[in-house]
Amino acid sequence: MLEEALEHLVRGIVVNSDDVQVRARRLRKGKVLEVRVHPDDLGKVIGRNGRTAKALRTVVGSLAGGRYVRVDLLDLNEVR
């Protein structure tokens, strides 16, 4: 559910919405949600002084209901 909600929010922000990918990985503490966007859209997702990224993390944290969730923002070309 968190992945779909985050993907929906990010698709509303970016220009290249077809390039948005959200992948979840499990950690001992909780989840990591990796959001991959087109390199031209990365600045829009991060926002000025990181405000948009912080807002996305706040919304996802609220939806997680107290469970640990980390949101990583990456461009499509970044290898992890």
Side-chain angles (χ1 to χ4, degrees):
M1 179 189 113
L2 293 175
E3 296 89 354
E4 293 89 11
L6 182 58
E7 184 175 344
H8 179 75
L9 290 171
V10 173
R11 282 183 188 268
I13 296 170
V14 300
V15 174
N16 303 302
S17 61
D18 293 337
D19 291 337
V20 175
Q21 301 171 1
V22 178
R23 193 179 87 188
R25 291 188 300 133
R26 283 244 172 256
L27 295 178
R28 282 186 223 168
K29 292 170 35 174
K31 273 187 178 181
V32 175
L33 299 177
E34 289 183 353
V35 180
R36 294 186 180 270
V37 296
H38 192 276
D40 295 340
D41 291 328
L42 191 58
K44 290 180 183 176
V45 175
I46 294 172
R48 183 174 290 174
N49 294 326
R51 289 182 184 165
T52 306
K54 184 177 178 182
L56 289 170
R57 290 180 174 119
T58 300
V59 169
V60 169
S62 296
L63 291 173
R67 294 173 302 197
Y68 176 80
V69 177
R70 187 176 85 202
V71 177
D72 291 343
L73 303 170
L74 309 165
D75 70 26
L76 287 174
N77 303 325
E78 195 167 337
V79 177
R80 251 201 190 187

